């Protein structure tokens, strides 16, 4: 695959699952540094499969994938772990560990880095405090996941994905099942991550309004094929609108 400056590049990518399901066909795609890139398409279009190629969880059946300059499937386990540390992942219905506090959940990716020592643990505490402030939940650091609302849990999931300051943030349906106001908060966080840290963000969603609000460009997938890439017209409005104001605007006459 020819070298590319883009943090994410796919060339001629096809994926066939064992058993024969064709999930992606002939996908060419470059995602630019620091952009918020949407991926949309109906259920089964291949969106999650695309993400699993980027984490190295799956290898393409044809073609090549480059993530931060490396082919994830060509890396040895140590190098793959190093690459994955530079990629944050947020899934729908984040999986937080129920028996650990918010602070401990968010610190997890830093512990998996395996560094020890007092200086490191102080630095870790600072990183966790910073990112909890960033998502607006520093007051809940000692709460357990069950004591949080779904929206707060999603913010903690984002905090955990961002705590190690990844170069790339992958989000699979980060706002489904959240109400409109909470969705706005989560989307604002994605945008701020990009603005403050320069994170390249990929957002898989069914929701066109999400794309409208946050994405710079969007890829349209249909039955495993990339049909189109659009530049998204900036959303002119309603960003800071309250939940009730939005309900009035959208539902009222
Ligand atoms: N582990 C798997 N084994 C076999 N087939 C799979 C597997 N995972 C996904 N598929 C198939 O690959 C195709 C693409 O699936 P994928 O999960 O990427 O779709 P998606 O766009 O994420 O859909 P959704 O919006 O429902 O999450 C589907 O036909 C699906 O049934
Ligand atoms: Mg999916």
């Amino acid at each position: 695959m020819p070298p590319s400056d883009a943090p994410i590049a796919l060339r001629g990518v096809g994926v066939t699952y064992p058993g024969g399901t064709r999930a992606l066909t002939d996908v060419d795609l470059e995602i630019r540094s620091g952009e918020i890139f949407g991926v949309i398409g109906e259920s089964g279009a291949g969106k999650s499969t695309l993400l699993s190629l980027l984490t190295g969880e799956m290898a393409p059946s044809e073609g090549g994938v480059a993530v931060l300059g490396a082919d994830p499937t060509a890396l040895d386990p140590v190098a793959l772990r190093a690459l994955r540390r530079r990629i944050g992942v947020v899934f729908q219905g984040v999986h937080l560990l129920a028996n650990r506090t918010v602070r401990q959940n968010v610190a997890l990716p830093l512990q998996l880095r395996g560094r020890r020592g007092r200086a490191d643990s102080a630095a870790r505490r600072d990183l966790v405090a910073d990112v909890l402030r960033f998502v607006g939940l520093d007051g809940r650091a000692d709460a357990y996941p069950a004591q949080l609302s779904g929206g707060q849990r999603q913010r903690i999931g984002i905090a955990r994905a961002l705590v190690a300051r990844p170069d790339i943030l992958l989000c699979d349906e980060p706002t489904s099942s959240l109400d409109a106001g909470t969705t706005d908060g989560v989307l604002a966080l994605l945008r701020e991550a990009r603005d403050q840290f320069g994170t390249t963000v990929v957002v898989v969603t069914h929701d066109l309004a999400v794309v409208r609000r946050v994405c710079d460009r969007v890829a349209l997938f249909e039955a495993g094929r990339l049909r189109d890439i659009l530049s998204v017209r900036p959303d002119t409005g309603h960003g800071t609108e309250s939940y009730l104001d939005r309900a009035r605007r959208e539902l009222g006459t």
Side-chain angles (χ1 to χ4, degrees), residues 85-231:
R85 266 180 238 129
R86 300 175 65 191
I87 304 173
V89 182
V90 179
F91 289 119
Q92 171 183 4
V94 267
H95 304 292
L96 300 176
L97 300 178
N99 59 350
R100 304 219 186 170
T101 64
V102 161
R103 189 197 311 281
Q104 291 166 335
N105 267 284
V106 170
L108 218 55
L110 299 175
Q111 282 160 2
L112 297 178
R113 273 177 174 182
R115 289 190 311 180
R116 302 211 194 290
R118 201 168 293 170
D120 277 339
S121 80
R124 276 208 301 258
R125 260 201 312 279
D126 288 347
L127 283 172
V128 171
D130 278 353
V131 82
L132 284 176
R133 218 170 296 128
F134 178 77
V135 301
L137 286 171
D138 38 331
R140 306 306 306 274
D142 296 311
Y144 286 88
Q147 299 169 311
L148 303 176
S149 72
Q152 288 172 332
R153 279 199 285 273
Q154 193 66 334
R155 296 165 92 90
I156 296 303
I158 293 175
R160 188 178 55 184
L162 288 175
V163 71
R165 298 285 159 83
D167 297 291
I168 294 175
L169 181 64
L170 305 176
C171 309
D172 202 347
E173 300 282 2
T175 59
S176 61
S177 81
L178 301 181
D179 67 53
T182 312
T183 293
D184 283 348
V186 166
L187 297 182
L189 282 180
L190 299 183
R191 200 167 329 140
E192 262 188 76
R194 187 272 301 277
D195 293 348
Q196 280 195 31
F197 312 130
T199 316
T200 302
V201 182
V202 181
V203 185
V204 167
T205 180
H206 284 99
D207 188 348
L208 298 186
V210 165
V211 173
R212 218 349 148 32
R213 286 232 151 88
V214 81
C215 292
D216 301 306
R217 293 192 302 153
V218 61
L220 278 46
F221 280 83
E222 183 186 51
R225 287 180 185 272
L226 175 55
R227 296 298 188 189
D228 214 348
I229 296 179
L230 307 175
S231 293

Side-chain angles (χ1 to χ4, degrees), residues 17 21 23 42-49 206:
Y17 280 103
T21 304
E42 290 185 296
S43 187
K47 307 181 297 294
S48 297
T49 302
H206 284 99

